[in-house]
Amino acid sequence: MAAINPSGSAMVADPSAGRDVALAVSPANHLRRGLTAIVLLLALHMAWLIVANEAFQWHVVFNWLFDPSVMQGLMVTLGLTVVAMVLGTVIGLVLAICRLSGSRIASGFAGLYIWFFRGTPMLVQLIFWYNLATLFPEISITIPFGPTLIGWDTNMLITPLTAAIVGLALNEAAYMAEIIRAGLISVDPGQSEAAQAFGMTRQRALRRIIIPQAMRSIIPPTGNQLISMIKGTSLVSVIAMNDLLYSVQAIYNRTFEIIPLLMVAVVWYLFVTSILNVGQSYIEAYYARGDRRGEVRPATVPDAEPA
Amino acid sequence: MSASEKTSPAPVLVTARDVHKAYGDHEVLKGIDMDVRVGETVVILGPSGSGKSTFLRCINHLEAMQKGSILVGEEQVGYVWRNGTLYRATPSQIARQRRGIGMVFQQFNLYPHMTVLQNIVEAPVGVYGEKRGEAEAYAHMLLRRVGLSEKANAYPRQLSGGQQQRVAIARALAIRPRLMLFDEPTSALDPELVGEVLATMRDLAQSGLTMIVVTHEISFAREAADRVIFMDGGRIVEEGPPGQVLVNPSHPRTRAFLNRVI
Ligand SMILES: Nc1ncnc2c1ncn2[C@@H]1O[C@H](COP(=O)(O)OP(=O)(O)O)[C@@H](O)[C@H]1O
Ligand SMILES: [Mg+2]
């Protein structure tokens, strides 16, 4: 362009004339536009098929959506998820540290635990915990091969609630252990070396240096686990725990409105998982701090100075 | 202030005697003896794999050695001497013993999730219980000293390699060490960034800090070292003032090494 030619005289054959990238436009992509239109149309049609379908009985869905027993079930599901996830993560962290420790006994125990709980179906584990009383009628704290210090009747301890919490948490711990272990070993070994050289104990190095960096790779699969867990809690309905699924089942056993009541459960499960997805992206952004390159954006193309 | 300029020699800070270290069957250190006096800057040269890093890491017990002893002042990091018996130290005792020893790594090893300031005050505040305000004031002073006062709130990844290594030096100084260990501090840097780090280290050497520096930078050894030690195959082959070891080495392996790196 002649205007930015420093000499001021328009050159006849300037090969860069008009080639300023600031002037570039995107080519029209007809294929892409066509595909987008088709996909949108299909999606709208699907939505219409579901909304307009009498069999879904949307008025029944809305009737029950905020029913007190459904809300109660939702709270149980959320509560179970939170408690089981927190316990599972704490136990999983301990297992991961055991696995990575130099101690052969600790890492062997953790390995055995993970092998067992990942290798057996959740449903079987839940029923097993629920029926613990038939295996161990009494649970007690004893000195090994010595006297009993304190004991409880298993039937008193194991209610649907405790069986559900224990079952979900112990199973979750096995998966979280592997996720956390993978996260911990993804951190550069130079980090724990520096932490050690600066006088940190192993616990402090884990808490301040290693775990915050491991979070980058721990969070995404953990979000996955949490969402599986919310849906996984529906398994506890088999041991008569009144969660969300159990409460809609209780209703449709009376009213026979099976599909609309399952839709009530579906709506709530989707609602909760959507909120979790949003939360997860915020947490990921937090742990990505320090990973962004400079706050300084690449400079925009400066205006051409008048010659 | 090099030790040789003084009339009465400064007291000895580091005493290494007959240090042996093996990984399995592979003997890496085959009996190292070394004395470093207070205020001295000792540069360790030697080919790759000769055990230089391993020796540095034995000093602050990042590696456990199998035989011999290293004393830093009256402290033997990793061990406690009580009533004529040498006990292995507990992890928290070891943590406390490391207080006097700062270390600078080849790969910087700054904490990437913390800002420069947080990196520097982490050990003084979190480990050694200094007041945050005082530690931060000292950190700002150190950042001025390494020429990075305006970078206190940057994250390590926003800095160049040379700047990161200078932050790492400030971080090591923040624990007010009486001994600084440098393990090839400029080997991971682009050539044009080496100078700024070496300049910082020269300042430290002149300020009277006791330093043990593993490096391949012969120019640094020539200008800043009080003594140069040449290691090869897990042994000290030759040592002396830089003017002697670098200019007129007596051992053929030193000569061969210097011919390769210069
Ligand atoms: N953790 C380790 N396990 C096994 N061998 C090692 C380990 N660290 C270092 N070595 C070996 O010890 C020798 C000396 O290593 P090092 O002290 O790093 O040498 P330098 O720093 O002089 O290059 C090398 O042969 C290296 O392979
Ligand atoms: Mg090395």
Side-chain angles (χ1 to χ4, degrees):
Chain A
M1 282 167 86
I4 57 170
N5 188 333
S7 69
S9 65
M11 281 210 259
V12 188
D14 179 0
S16 53
R19 290 203 170 198
D20 185 346
V21 293
L23 306 173
V25 292
S26 303
N29 189 336
H30 298 296
L31 181 63
R32 187 184 163 132
R33 272 185 213 166
L35 279 177
T36 310
I38 291 171
V39 168
L40 275 179
L41 208 64
L42 281 174
L44 273 174
H45 186 94
M46 289 270 273
W48 174 249
L49 284 182
I50 293 171
V51 171
N53 189 335
E54 286 297 312
F56 281 105
Q57 302 179 55
W58 288 104
H59 59 284
V60 181
V61 173
F62 285 113
N63 265 346
W64 289 111
L65 197 54
F66 299 101
D67 184 83
S69 74
V70 172
M71 299 314 284
Q72 160 89 25
L74 178 63
M75 286 307 136
V76 169
T77 289
L78 290 179
L80 260 185
T81 303
V82 169
V83 172
M85 197 69 198
V86 168
L87 280 177
T89 306
V90 171
I91 301 170
L93 176 63
V94 173
L95 287 170
I97 292 171
C98 284
R99 276 221 90 176
L100 293 173
S101 77
S103 155
R104 211 173 287 178
I105 293 176
S107 94
F109 168 77
L112 199 68
Y113 180 103
I114 293 164
W115 167 78
F116 181 81
F117 281 94
R118 286 205 308 182
T120 53
M122 181 71 237
L123 189 60
V124 175
Q125 289 175 31
L126 274 175
I127 296 172
F128 180 90
W129 288 112
Y130 192 47
N131 294 294
L132 194 66
T134 58
L135 291 171
F136 302 99
E138 194 172 283
I139 293 174
S140 50
I141 297 174
T142 57
I143 294 164
F145 305 108
T148 300
L149 299 179
I150 184 170
W152 298 274
D153 181 6
T154 306
N155 267 324
M156 300 252 301
L157 286 182
I158 298 289
T159 61
L161 178 66
T162 52
I165 290 176
V166 170
L168 291 170
L170 293 189
N171 183 70
E172 190 58 27
Y175 288 90
M176 285 309 296
E178 287 296 273
I179 290 172
I180 294 171
R181 186 174 71 99
L184 294 180
I185 57 181
S186 75
V187 177
D188 172 12
Q191 291 291 310
S192 65
E193 195 156 88
Q196 255 187 65
F198 283 98
M200 289 192 208
T201 55
R202 173 108 180 109
Q203 295 92 290
R204 190 181 169 84
L206 272 171
R207 189 161 49 80
R208 295 285 301 168
I209 309 298
I210 311 298
I211 291 177
Q213 292 180 59
M215 286 307 246
R216 298 281 328 264
S217 46
I218 289 176
I219 293 292
T222 302
N224 226 11
Q225 285 300 111
L226 190 55
I227 285 170
S228 306
M229 170 72 96
I230 288 171
K231 296 178 299 171
T233 53
S234 63
L235 281 177
V236 302
S237 57
V238 301
I239 56 171
M241 183 72 203
N242 56 340
D243 75 320
L244 180 56
L245 184 63
Y246 189 86
S247 66
V248 302
Q249 283 171 336
I251 297 169
Y252 70 60
N253 283 340
R254 288 198 319 268
T255 68
F256 302 106
E257 295 160 321
I258 299 177
I259 297 296
L261 276 152
L262 286 178
M263 287 308 288
V264 168
V266 165
V267 167
W268 280 119
Y269 281 120
L270 279 176
F271 177 73
V272 173
T273 50
S274 312
I275 290 190
L276 286 176
N277 283 333
V278 175
Q280 183 180 341
S281 45
Y282 277 103
I283 296 175
E284 280 177 21
Y286 174 77
Y287 282 108
R289 75 190 188 284
D291 207 42
R292 281 157 284 157
R293 286 237 97 186
E295 249 74 281
V296 201
R297 284 302 185 87
T300 45
V301 184
D303 293 329
E305 278 177 11
Chain B
M1 43 152 105
S2 66
S4 51
E5 288 165 16
K6 298 190 177 173
T7 41
S8 67
V12 173
L13 181 61
V14 183
T15 315
R17 287 291 173 270
D18 198 28
V19 175
H20 286 262
K21 166 82 189 171
Y23 293 107
D25 293 339
H26 180 34
E27 258 198 289
V28 177
L29 299 178
K30 302 172 184 167
I32 302 286
D33 291 294
M34 190 184 294
D35 285 322
V36 180
R37 293 183 178 282
V38 171
E40 223 184 349
T41 297
V42 171
V43 167
I44 303 182
L45 298 176
S48 185
S50 57
K52 308 180 297 292
S53 299
T54 305
F55 177 68
L56 273 197
R57 294 155 55 81
C58 283
I59 296 177
N60 62 358
H61 200 63
L62 284 180
E63 299 283 356
M65 52 207 234
Q66 275 120 16
K67 186 176 185 304
S69 64
I70 301 179
L71 271 76
V72 180
E74 55 296 328
E75 207 81 80
Q76 183 173 4
V77 183
Y79 304 89
V80 179
W81 176 249
R82 203 185 309 123
N83 302 330
T85 309
L86 192 63
Y87 294 93
R88 289 205 179 84
T90 64
S92 58
Q93 284 173 329
I94 297 175
R96 243 172 288 134
Q97 292 175 324
R98 286 182 173 133
R99 159 129 229 198
I101 306 173
M103 190 165 201
V104 175
F105 301 87
Q106 182 174 349
Q107 300 295 341
F108 328 137
N109 295 352
L110 292 175
Y111 313 129
H113 58 301
M114 296 182 179
T115 64
V116 164
L117 190 67
Q118 289 168 336
N119 263 277
I120 297 176
V121 301
E122 177 61 27
V125 174
V127 182
Y128 300 117
E130 283 183 34
K131 292 208 185 67
R132 180 165 293 275
E134 286 167 24
E136 287 188 353
Y138 191 52
H140 283 294
M141 199 279 278
L142 289 172
L143 280 175
R144 266 198 304 284
R145 190 162 164 193
V146 300
L148 291 170
S149 359
E150 75 287 9
K151 297 292 188 190
N153 294 316
Y155 282 98
R157 238 157 271 187
Q158 297 165 340
L159 304 179
S160 74
Q163 291 172 330
Q164 287 189 51
Q165 192 61 300
R166 284 185 284 152
V167 170
I169 292 172
R171 176 177 68 168
L173 291 173
I175 62 171
R176 302 166 201 259
R178 31 184 197 163
L179 173 66
M180 283 279 279
L181 308 174
F182 294 83
D183 192 359
E184 300 200 28
T186 58
S187 296
L189 297 177
D190 291 335
E192 76 270 22
L193 302 177
V194 168
E196 61 190 67
V197 172
L198 291 182
T200 304
M201 288 168 58
R202 264 196 298 271
D203 286 348
L204 292 181
Q206 259 145 33
S207 77
L209 191 63
T210 313
M211 316 202 323
I212 303 180
V213 183
V214 172
T215 185
H216 292 299
E217 296 293 331
I218 303 296
S219 66
F220 178 81
R222 195 181 302 123
E223 292 155 31
D226 296 298
R227 191 148 48 98
V228 174
I229 290 178
F230 179 72
M231 272 178 73
D232 193 9
R235 289 202 172 83
I236 292 180
V237 172
E238 181 165 2
E239 69 174 290
Q244 176 197 319
V245 175
L246 299 177
V247 178
N248 194 12
S250 59
H251 200 284
R253 271 189 281 179
T254 318
R255 240 171 281 147
F257 174 78
L258 289 174
N259 281 339
R260 257 181 291 132
V261 295
I262 294 179

